[in-house]
Amino acid sequence: MSRDQKIKIAMVVCVVVLACAVVITTTGMFNTSGIGGYANADQYTAGDTELSGKVQNLDINWTSGKVTVVYHEGNTVSLKETANRSLSEDEKLQWWLDGETLRVQMMKPGTHWNMPEKELTVALPSGLELKTAVISLTSGELSAPDLKAETLNLGTTSGNMNVTASAKQLLATSTSGQIVLVQKGESDQIQCNSTSGGVRLTAEKAGRIDLGSTSGPVFLQADRAGQLKATSTSGGIDVTVASCDETSLSCTSGKISASLSEMKKLEISSTSGDVTAFLPETPGFTAKVETASGSQSSGLALTKDGNTYTCGDASGKVSISTTSGDVRIEPAK
């Protein structure tokens, strides 16, 4: 075989390989995805189901696609999935009623070709309050209009969550996604953290609230919190709480707005951003304000002594510090 013939063959092979790559990329016909192994995989059953057995705990591990938890008037727990194409047995959802714990996996472990787009709907009896609910999504959206449990642990790697929940212990985390959470009733602790995305919490009553975002804003509106801590690296913080004993707010880059109708202790720290504090004129507070580069002003009648301001009976303790940002104190909303 001559040198020219070898070159021609090599060129033809390159063209064929390139054409195959284009087909694979545009059609996804050879797209593969691995589902990691999970314990007791042989105990799971494939496909939709409706269970009349007692369910006290829910454990969902969903790789890709939306998960919705709803309530219905019946007395059964049902699992139903929809997909963009027909599914093989291995591609169907996998469920296992392990005692009183319903465990759900997206599909059988292993390598799957041409991954389907799927959505899962979990329907619970209207009067059911779970002991624990653990819902973990790798890439997808979580939606639950009224989820009830003693302990809730919700997480997404890449995806948003929009949840209304009642729980004593409530944990919500997202690596890359928005967290929108509405808490009802009374909780011992609420914790929400997002690495790349905002956190928005509306709460009724909680013993402790911890909110954090690395890259995104933090928003809170609550009736009552014993202790509140909110941090943001890149994004603002906006909190409105009718009553809170101890509040700590810290933001590296972004504005901070805090409105407290009743409070005992408030600490605010901002590296680069303005701070506006809406504070109760009655019974009053003592505020120590320090700014490296920024102005100070107030819409309240304050008594000034150096960098310390007093209002009313001076019972509340306030500390505000900024590196680069203005500080404004206003009457509580």
Side-chain angles (χ1 to χ4, degrees):
M1 184 181 296
S2 68
R3 179 174 177 275
D4 290 343
Q5 288 177 319
K6 291 181 179 178
I7 293 175
K8 288 180 181 180
I9 292 174
M11 291 178 64
V12 171
V13 170
C14 289
V15 171
V16 172
V17 170
L18 180 61
C20 291
V22 171
V23 171
I24 291 171
T25 302
T26 56
T27 65
M29 64 182 294
F30 295 114
N31 178 41
T32 64
S33 181
I35 302 297
Y38 44 85
N40 300 298
D42 58 336
Q43 298 289 328
Y44 285 75
T45 302
D48 298 349
T49 189
E50 187 167 7
L51 304 170
S52 58
K54 188 175 183 180
V55 175
Q56 289 292 299
N57 308 289
L58 188 62
D59 187 351
I60 299 175
N61 186 11
W62 203 254
T63 304
S64 177
K66 184 177 181 179
V67 173
T68 303
V69 181
V70 298
Y71 286 84
H72 68 117
E73 294 304 319
N75 57 5
T76 60
V77 175
S78 68
L79 303 173
K80 183 176 178 59
E81 66 181 346
T82 58
N84 63 336
R85 60 171 176 77
S86 59
L87 303 174
S88 67
E89 287 298 301
D90 288 354
E91 293 174 330
K92 292 179 180 179
L93 72 87
Q94 306 287 308
W95 63 269
W96 174 32
L97 186 56
D98 178 14
E100 295 181 348
T101 300
L102 178 57
R103 306 187 188 278
V104 183
Q105 302 283 343
M106 184 173 176
M107 56 183 67
K108 276 196 172 184
T111 300
H112 296 267
W113 296 77
N114 188 19
M115 282 281 288
E117 297 176 10
K118 303 204 301 178
E119 293 188 4
L120 171 67
T121 299
V122 182
L124 305 174
S126 58
L128 178 62
E129 178 179 336
L130 297 166
K131 289 183 178 179
T132 63
V134 180
I135 304 176
S136 177
L137 282 74
T138 303
S139 174
E141 179 182 345
L142 174 60
S143 175
D146 189 14
L147 188 54
K148 306 179 186 71
E150 292 181 16
T151 300
L152 284 177
N153 191 334
L154 313 174
T156 64
T157 301
S158 174
N160 302 328
M161 69 172 70
N162 194 331
V163 175
T164 297
S166 304
K168 290 297 182 182
Q169 301 285 336
L170 206 168
L171 172 64
T173 60
S174 177
T175 303
S176 175
Q178 304 285 333
I179 296 175
V180 179
L181 181 63
V182 177
Q183 177 265 350
K184 291 184 176 181
E186 184 173 353
S187 297
D188 294 334
Q189 183 175 11
I190 304 172
Q191 184 174 346
C192 301
N193 289 283
S194 178
T195 303
S196 176
V199 174
R200 186 179 186 91
L201 171 65
T202 303
E204 291 187 358
K205 186 176 182 180
R208 182 177 177 86
I209 298 176
D210 289 282
L211 307 175
S213 176
T214 302
S215 176
V218 174
F219 174 87
L220 168 68
Q221 183 172 335
D223 295 334
R224 166 67 185 163
Q227 294 179 306
L228 165 62
K229 181 179 180 181
T231 62
S232 176
T233 302
S234 176
I237 296 176
D238 187 342
V239 300
T240 300
V241 185
S243 175
C244 186
D245 295 336
E246 298 182 11
T247 302
S248 175
L249 310 177
S250 176
C251 186
T252 303
S253 176
K255 295 181 179 181
I256 296 179
S257 175
S259 179
L260 303 169
S261 298
E262 295 180 6
M263 60 92 187
K264 295 180 180 179
K265 184 179 180 181
L266 169 63
E267 295 180 352
I268 298 177
S269 175
S270 173
T271 302
S272 175
D274 298 338
V275 173
T276 304
F278 298 88
L279 303 178
E281 190 171 6
T282 304
F285 57 88
T286 300
K288 184 177 181 180
V289 180
E290 297 179 330
T291 60
S293 174
S295 64
Q296 303 172 31
S297 60
S298 175
L300 285 169
L302 303 177
T303 301
K304 185 177 184 296
D305 182 10
N307 62 354
T308 301
Y309 301 82
T310 58
C311 178
D313 68 359
S315 59
K317 305 303 178 184
V318 179
S319 174
I320 302 174
S321 65
T322 68
T323 302
S324 175
D326 300 333
V327 177
R328 175 79 178 168
I329 297 177
E330 294 282 5
K333 296 179 182 179

